[in-house]
Amino acid sequence: MGSRGQKRTETADELPADKRACSSLEFRPSSSNCSSIRTHLNSPNSTPDADMETSSSTSASSRSDGEHEKEDESAYGSCDSDDAEQQPRHHILRDYQRRRSSSDHGKLNTILSNLNEGNGGSGQLAALTELCEVLSFCNEDSLSSLMADSLSPVLVKLAKNESNANIMLLAIRGMTYLCDVYPRSSGFLVRHDAVPALCERLLAIEYVDVAEQCLQALEKISRDQPVACLQAGAIMAALNFIDFFSISVQRVALATVVNICKKLPLEGPAPFVEVVPKLCDLLQHEDQQLVESVATCLIKISERMCQSSELMEELCKHELINQVTLVMKSNSRTTISQPIYNGLIGLLVKLSSGSFVAFRSLYELNISNILKDVLSTYDLSHGISPPDLVDGNCNQVHEVLKLLNELLPASTGDQANQVVLDKESFLADHHDLLQRFGMDLFPVLVQVVNSGANIYVCYGCLSVISKLVVLSKPDMLGELLKTANIPSFLAGVFTRKDHHLLMLALQIAEIILKKLSDVFLSSFIKEGVFYVIDALLMPEKCSQLMLPVFGGIQPSFDSSQKSSAREFQRCLCYAFDMVPSSSVSSCKIDKDTVCNLAKHIKTNYFAPELVESDKGMTDVLQNLRTLSAALSSLINMPVDDGTTVQHEEKFYSILHQIMLKLNGREPVSTFEFIESGIVKSLMHYLSDGMHMRGNVEFTGSYDHLVVLGKRFEVFTKLFFSYSDILVEDLPLSILIQKLQSGLSTLENFPVIPSHGFKQRNSFATVPNGRCVMYPCFRVRFVRAEGENCLSDCAEDVLAVDPFSPLDAIEGYLWPKVFTERTEYGELDAEELEQREVLPNLLPSNANSTQAKSSGFIDSMSIDLPEMQEDEANFSQIASEQVHFRELNSGETMSLDETNMGSAGKEQEFPTESTKNMRTPCSASGDNDIKDSSARLLLYLEGHQLDRTLMLYQVILQQLLNSEKEFMTWAKLWSRVYTITYKRALESNQDDPQEHTYQERKFSVSDQKIASIQNMGYFASMFACKLTSDLDKSSPIYDILFLLKLLEGINKYSFHLMSCERVRAFAEGRNDNLDNLKVMVRSVSQNEFVSSRLTGKLEQQMQDAFTLSTGGMPLWCNDLVSSCPFMFSFEARCKYFRLAAFGPRRGQLNAISRSNSGTSSDRQTTSGGLPRKKFLVSRDQILDSATRMMDLLARHKGLLEVEYNEEVGTGLGPTLEFYTLVSHEFQKFGLGMWRGDHCSFITSTTLPTESVILRNSSGLFPRPCSPKSDANNGIQFSQVLKKFVLLGQIVAKAIQDGRVLDVSFSKAFYKLILGQDLSLYDIQSFDPELGRTLMEFQAIIVNQKRLQESICVENAALKQDLCFRNTRIEDLYLDFTLPGYPDYVLSSECNLKMVNSANLEEYVELVVDATIHSGIARQVEAFKSGFNQLLEIIQEFEYSQRRAFLQFVTGAPRLPPGGLASLIPKLTIVRKHSSNCADTELPSVMTCANYLKLPPYSSKEKMKEKLLYAISEGQGSFHLS
């Protein structure tokens, strides 16, 4: 019965009228006998099995909410008890089915005898009616082959009874039901000539309902007997009168044709050609499903006929080309599925390959315009797959490129057939068509290659470009090449590693120089094409070029080596050829082909004197090199107070000359810009040489802060002091454009698809022995030579989880290879570990973690990047804080990191490999062994492995660093890797030379400016690791680092310009405080976005498998962390959602944001994450929000809001709720924000009608004295609670993808992210106060300069201490915070009134109260609310976290991907308990990862009981 129910489900959507009485009889001219038929056949089509399946799925979905304890208890019971209950149930079902089958068999025998007796029309009609009823309810077990064979001739005979339409209808319906219940019966029906009988009825079409039933019967038979249907003419019979039927019946008819076309015989006659005109007409049908079926038929027919040119020509005579191109027009890709669209392109490929008529028609129909639209709007995700099939569907861009290659014929001498010759002759006679073709596609093809497409797409595009260049005449080629900078394009291609691409680039260059040498020779030299060709021939010159040219030419596949046919099939030489794979023998590029062509170009087109480096350089390159050398010389120039001004003037002069060259009349090519060394010199100078060092710490001295500050100020003055030019013409904007162009030319970061291997179940022995859904690496662990402290690994070759971190592998390996002699005898690592770990599991150790975890909230935000200046949406800020650490750390992540997506410090919680361990060899007995303390060093092919990476990343990076860009996935997974290990020695202290710099003497005033400049941000730039797989000597590293510096300077341009004005005032170059006002026109953040890198990141993020396993390439995680500005806002948001919430919620959030306000959001979320409804009151919106967060803050599903006494729920009310809450937090009287000068009052006394607080600069917390707790602590505690609630609301809005109508200031965002603020940040939210403090600061710095002077007069000192011609004392300022008279800055008796002596202290206290101590508690309250998910687990030690996972899930580790990949999902519900819940323990159901917590009175009590249950509940199942 279960199989029957399943079968009904599969066919219900396809044939809606299949299992009910046909209601179309009423359309017959005569229907006197129809009523009796409808009466007998109108029984319902529901079965107990179907009901049972529905109720089962419903109950499964209803359990997710966890609202009722009884349901939860029953749903998540013991696995053993469930199996015990299922056994008698299965016995009952089997007995029922056996009895039912016996009964059905008896009924069928009776019906068969009645049909054979021939008791007149009424008897046969009744027998057929009963037969249909029995067949509609029986299953395959009720029928036998003998019964089916006996029924078939009877039903076929009755189907030919033209005297009685009702008998015909029921007989044909009986055939349909018979095939449905017993599919093998289709063979019996065919043997008894059922198909010709059905075709005869269709061609006669006397009755519509009979014809409809015939179509349904044919569809069933055609599934198993397509050839018999073809031979009987079923295709033409099904399509002959298709226009007379309804849409649903037309779909059935086309389904029959599709079944037949999928199994067309390869040999013999082709009777299906006659239906092509009818199919072509149906291509323009309005029904999408019908059009897709027609397209499938045509695709299959073309595949059958592609071997014969005559048959292809026959197809083209029926307007097939015209109809297909109409379907492919513009918006068709949004109405038909992508596989069908790809199939239509493949159909055109086959037609144009074998038919000259098709070739000519495509040119005349301007197919290039259609293909241009496909390429120009294609998603980069279309280019990630190799040319073989993925899920049975060809890659769309690959098909387009195959079509383009077929439309540009290339004769190969004697092998050219007549069709190719006709094509070449046609293009030679129709230059206008070829030119239109080239003008449409040439710039798009160049754009696709430059966009970062994979090697297959690049090869296809270059192949098309090469053919266009060959077929074009010189004048036409000149016009064509004007649409793109072809020399720069070719220079970028020459940086690729693959020799197929190099060969095509050389061919293109050779043809261009041959046809247009006088036009392009100079540009080839200017763009560096000549230099890279010379470097290809002489690899020793590669080291002299800054452009990373691939040298040392060797073929990708050496023809002398034996390789499998599968590898040769994937060779790029045959990627776009219409050649069967069996005929592919070897790579077409032999060892000397590339060298010979490069030598030919150099000899014939470049003059010998160009080989001389000085003569070959352009004037622009020589001038830029001179300026670069001058800039480099400034680095070694000693700097002190006497030479500072001169030094800055030289720097300014050189920078000015460089910018004049970059923006001069003669354009600077990317090659000249990179090769000149300007990038390296600028970066070296601005970073003071620190970019090449490791982690830089500025300890004990402001010297380097002063150097950096002054250089950044000069740089900012030059780049931002223009007020009369457009922003896009600013020098900084021009420099950024050059850097972006260089990055697009040089970068070659890989995009790694997961479908390079097939997902299959396998068992990973290392590190924790579990089944995985992907292949494992085969690894042999070998002890390093000379290693005497460790033993050999007993196992030979082990299966290693590729997505496990190396420290987890070390944790597996350490106990097996390490033994130690102690006072207890010889103990292995596991015994030593147990002696130390077991005491940590006891509850008595809980208090020891308090001090360690107290700074957890602070640690959440330490390494977060800077926020962008022009975007104030918090989702953007959150998108920059995630480093994807949780996906790359496997089981070593913390629970809070998995749920919140926060990148906490790795050393906060040790990993498996760094558990607490004391041995006689240990340096100390401390329990705080950090992640960095490795016990083993692992090596692969002589290279030490980074423990922070996964084995998959390490091996993949090693493969990518090889000399081949073409990756062979089969070898990646089949080979055995040898990893050597040895004991890790204690790390030595850093080399003292690493952090020693040239001593410089600076004045106290300079150091004061550096201290208020907040230069810590700039110092962090140099300590930040850009990407671990990039060499620091690479020009790509230089470009990225310089872009990072420029983005920081642009972001802090106001700070830098303000410091420059203060310095000018202090040095006497400016004596007017009004000149301190700064107006900076910063460059838009969009200027720093790399479209190429953004496209690659989007491409990589569409691979769900690499996201869930953490197999992202290294550059993705590193660059998003270190250079988030390189990626678009949308890409960062998507990255954040995927990293923080997993692929499932991330995709749902993206859909809900794009479909905001539509009904599709409901459909999407209902089928994905669970939803939780909450009833709120409009009159008490904050109270409702508080209750909601208390109950549902940790609920991982989507929250939906329903208003009290209102009708309606879903997306609309939920979005309104977040808007109302946002407005409520911005009302006057809450005491939360600056500008709200009301005293602190409780929520019970708030006015009912409050005005919303508006601030054009955004909201910033209202300062409150730290001492106010002693006076009015209860009222201030209400403010802190509101900040906690606000943090929860913001976190939940980000998690659910909702929008908040609240505008925080940029300074508040910085505080949330853990960044320090300075005096200059005050102007961003309080311009008047900030400007006044800056003027005071200028007076203070000026005073210090005068005090340092050798000769100083008292009168001059007093004059400089005046503020706008008013003595400081006469301002009558007291030591209270401006605007907040109750905030006393200092209680010291000598700090009552502000004077010249204490002005500096007054400014420091005001700044501290405004941006530090006065708002610290509010910010921490917000962050605590934001980070409140799984708060208890955050406070656990590492060993306690492992014990918690063991307690709840049965395993101490999480799967790759963390909690997001845990199946079933972790569920936490309230446990019903007695009146005294504090005495009860939590319980779990490990089968369902289900934790039940009693309603404890406090967080401390919950933690105590959890720890007790974890420690005492191990090894038993009593707490269930």
Side-chain angles (χ1 to χ4, degrees), residues 706-922:
V706 174
V707 172
L708 291 173
K710 288 189 174 183
R711 291 181 178 180
F712 287 160
E713 287 172 20
V714 174
F715 199 87
T716 306
K717 180 181 178 182
L718 171 66
F719 280 69
F720 294 99
S721 58
Y722 297 90
S723 59
D724 55 346
I725 62 176
L726 299 175
V727 175
E728 54 269 19
D729 294 332
L730 285 174
L732 181 61
S733 181
I734 297 171
L735 181 57
I736 293 171
Q737 292 172 13
K738 292 295 182 183
L739 291 171
Q740 292 284 16
S741 176
L743 180 64
S744 298
T745 301
L746 302 181
E747 75 83 17
N748 199 18
F749 293 117
V751 176
I752 309 300
S754 66
H755 56 252
F757 58 91
K758 295 182 179 180
Q759 297 188 23
R760 63 175 184 269
N761 292 330
S762 56
F763 184 81
T765 306
V766 183
N768 51 6
R770 64 188 183 91
C771 291
V772 294
M773 298 178 62
Y774 39 82
C776 295
F777 284 137
R778 301 168 62 202
V779 179
R780 179 184 293 109
F781 293 99
V782 178
R783 183 178 58 173
E785 295 183 5
E787 177 57 59
N788 299 321
C789 296
L790 303 176
S791 60
D792 291 322
C793 184
E795 293 86 356
D796 183 19
V797 178
L798 295 172
V800 181
D801 185 350
F803 301 105
S804 58
L806 290 176
D807 56 1
I809 297 177
E810 179 200 24
Y812 170 86
L813 199 59
W814 175 256
K816 298 183 178 299
V817 300
F818 175 75
T819 57
E820 187 68 32
R821 291 182 175 86
T822 67
E823 56 182 335
Y824 306 104
E826 190 171 272
L827 300 179
D828 60 17
E830 292 182 355
E831 293 172 325
L832 291 170
E833 185 177 11
Q834 291 175 0
R835 292 178 178 270
E836 300 300 325
V837 172
L838 287 178
N840 292 334
L841 296 178
L842 299 179
S844 59
N845 265 354
N847 294 332
S848 66
T849 65
Q850 296 290 345
K852 296 179 183 179
S853 62
S854 60
F856 176 79
I857 297 177
D858 296 333
S859 71
M860 297 283 291
S861 308
I862 289 180
D863 294 330
L864 305 179
E866 290 284 340
M867 60 167 286
Q868 301 299 321
E869 289 220 342
D870 60 334
E871 295 161 343
N873 189 302
F874 189 80
S875 62
Q876 170 203 1
I877 303 303
S879 70
E880 296 177 356
Q881 85 179 44
V882 180
H883 296 187
F884 230 52
R885 183 73 62 188
E886 66 275 20
L887 292 186
N888 282 341
S889 58
E891 297 84 21
T892 64
M893 70 186 70
S894 59
L895 295 178
D896 52 277
E897 290 170 347
T898 305
N899 287 275
M900 292 299 298
S902 302
K905 287 185 175 180
E906 289 185 16
Q907 62 267 27
E908 284 287 315
F909 307 106
T911 58
E912 171 70 16
S913 62
T914 57
K915 295 177 182 176
N916 299 339
M917 181 176 293
R918 291 195 189 119
T919 67
C921 298
S922 301

Side-chain angles (χ1 to χ4, degrees), residues 158 533 559 636 656 846 934 967 1116 1178 1432:
L158 294 176
I533 292 177
S559 58
N636 300 321
H656 186 68
M967 293 182 11
C1116 294
R1178 287 184 182 271
I1432 299 296

Side-chain angles (χ1 to χ4, degrees), residues 320-336:
L320 177 59
I321 300 294
N322 292 2
Q323 299 298 332
V324 171
T325 53
L326 286 176
V327 173
M328 293 176 58
K329 287 285 188 182
S330 62
N331 295 328
S332 294
R333 281 180 294 148
T334 62
T335 58
I336 62 176

